[in-house]
Amino acid sequence: MRTSPRWLKKYREWKQADKGLTEARQMLLEADDPEMKQLAEEEEKQLTERKETVERELKFLLLPKDPNDEKNVIVEIRAGTGGDEAALFAGELFRMYSRYAESQRWKVEILESSPSSLGGLKEVVASIQGQKVYSKLKYESGVHRVQRVPATEQQGRIHTSAATVAVLPEADDIDIKIEAKDLRIDTFCSSGPGGQSVNTTYSAVRITHIPSGLVVSQQDEKSQIKNRAKAMRVLRARLYEMEQSKQHEAIAAERRGQIKTGDRSEKIRTYNFPQNRVTDHRIGLTLHQLTEVMEGNSAHSSTPW
């Protein structure tokens, strides 16, 4: 027996909620008894919320399939405004995505990282591999803002800082062709905090893609071959994203105007620790479940928060 597509099932849910809401409103108009009127008001409120939820889920199911949805991703997280506090938050964001990846049985591999003095991360670049990774993380790109009292704050004042997240679909060889003549590859000794040399061999690699000007460095591995392979993966993903941006440039302005999620410079989410609140500014959704979110526990099955 052929099963109905998910969008059709969701549409039937929406129709049922819409019908129930119409009946509840009619009951509210006709009710003379105060108790019946109160019951009708409560039912109207519940059905309104249900209809809005189902409508949001239906719109998601009706979106055109993204050809990149099945791809693995390169995630880049960087501390923004806020100094050490921003670096601490960047580290917590990476932990959040790592915990979520673990719950999805995905593999996380750190390609590049730069720790801060207080234990956070100035930046981290990681590969996440698994089933439909890009489909679940693609909307995470943007500016993530945090509001909380830093551990170093003596007077208990709430500070605001930020970190940026970029999610790039990892390109296959067939997606992006890179010519050897377009690359300049330099090797150097790996360095640690403060710039001191931690490796006397030239294992670190810097790859410059001459046509685009993109530069990727990698020094986490002791092997020059491994560092070069990792750098090429990051370079390929960034070039793939650039190529996609060119292809979509003609419709980018209209798309941003419709869904307001295309520009990475937008503040997409705020994490308010004093109120245990997380707000997504693109869809106007607020959850008082910040603790669970930061632990990587998904509030919605299709997203990491």
Side-chain angles (χ1 to χ4, degrees):
M1 180 183 292
R2 179 179 296 178
T3 58
S4 301
R6 288 179 63 196
W7 69 264
L8 183 56
K9 292 180 179 179
K10 193 60 64 176
Y11 173 70
R12 287 170 179 162
E13 284 185 45
W14 182 88
K15 287 285 289 182
Q16 185 177 4
D18 183 61
K19 180 182 177 181
L21 183 58
T22 300
E23 293 174 351
R25 286 171 175 167
Q26 186 64 33
M27 187 186 303
L28 185 60
L29 289 173
E30 297 175 353
D32 294 326
D33 182 66
E35 187 175 345
M36 287 295 296
K37 196 176 186 67
Q38 183 180 358
L39 288 173
E41 288 175 347
E42 291 176 357
E43 187 171 356
E44 181 193 29
K45 181 181 178 182
Q46 291 174 0
L47 286 169
T48 298
E49 293 176 353
R50 176 60 182 162
K51 182 182 175 183
E52 290 175 352
T53 299
V54 173
E55 186 172 322
R56 190 161 54 240
E57 293 170 348
L58 179 60
K59 287 179 179 178
F60 181 80
L61 290 173
L62 290 175
L63 287 173
K65 183 174 175 59
D66 191 326
N68 291 319
D69 278 351
E70 302 290 336
K71 292 183 180 293
N72 299 324
V73 303
I74 301 291
V75 176
E76 303 179 351
I77 303 175
R78 292 182 173 84
T81 55
D84 288 332
E85 173 64 11
L88 288 170
F89 180 55
E92 291 174 44
L93 282 178
F94 178 63
R95 179 179 178 274
M96 177 185 78
Y97 290 123
S98 297
R99 295 293 296 273
Y100 178 70
E102 182 181 344
S103 73
Q104 300 295 306
R105 297 187 178 181
W106 295 339
K107 178 185 176 183
V108 179
E109 178 186 5
I110 296 177
L111 303 178
E112 182 181 351
S113 64
S114 177
S116 69
S117 58
L118 294 182
L121 289 170
K122 296 177 183 177
E123 67 174 320
V124 59
V125 180
S127 164
I128 302 182
Q129 304 170 38
Q131 187 176 14
K132 295 185 177 181
V133 181
Y134 185 71
S135 70
K136 294 186 178 181
L137 293 183
K138 60 185 175 182
Y139 297 117
E140 295 302 301
S141 293
V143 177
H144 295 241
R145 186 178 69 170
V146 61
Q147 295 173 325
R148 64 183 176 188
V149 179
T152 55
E153 171 60 49
Q154 300 297 322
Q155 300 180 19
R157 293 175 298 185
I158 295 176
H159 286 224
T160 298
S161 54
T164 61
V165 175
V167 179
L168 316 178
E170 190 163 359
D172 301 320
D173 291 341
I174 58 174
D175 295 325
I176 292 291
K177 185 177 181 181
I178 301 177
E179 301 285 352
K181 63 181 177 61
D182 292 335
L183 300 178
R184 184 175 73 245
I185 301 177
D186 302 307
T187 58
F188 54 97
C189 293
S190 299
S191 60
Q196 72 268 29
S197 176
V198 297
N199 193 337
T200 56
T201 62
Y202 285 77
S203 60
V205 173
R206 181 186 301 109
I207 300 179
T208 303
H209 185 253
I210 299 170
S212 66
L214 283 175
V215 179
V216 178
S217 298
Q218 180 60 236
Q219 64 175 16
D220 283 6
E221 299 286 347
K222 295 181 180 179
S223 164
Q224 183 184 127
I225 294 176
K226 290 182 179 180
N227 280 330
R228 178 169 173 166
K230 284 187 174 183
M232 284 298 295
R233 287 171 64 186
V234 176
L235 176 63
R236 194 179 298 279
R238 291 180 183 174
L239 285 172
Y240 183 61
E241 186 199 32
M242 286 180 63
E243 185 62 31
Q244 282 199 311
S245 296
K246 291 178 183 178
Q247 294 173 3
H248 298 158
E249 193 61 36
I251 61 172
E254 180 181 354
R255 181 174 181 274
R256 282 196 295 267
Q258 291 175 351
I259 63 174
K260 302 184 185 301
T261 60
D263 191 346
R264 278 200 191 135
S265 65
E266 288 183 336
K267 172 189 65 182
I268 68 164
R269 197 172 298 146
T270 295
Y271 304 73
N272 186 299
F273 278 74
Q275 298 180 22
N276 194 36
R277 184 185 75 225
V278 56
T279 300
D280 193 292
H281 302 286
R282 296 162 298 179
I283 60 175
L285 179 63
T286 295
L287 300 173
H288 290 275
Q289 301 174 9
L290 179 56
T291 303
E292 292 86 344
V293 168
M294 296 307 295
E295 286 297 319
N297 297 327
S298 175
H300 304 283
S301 60
S302 59
T303 66
W305 76 282

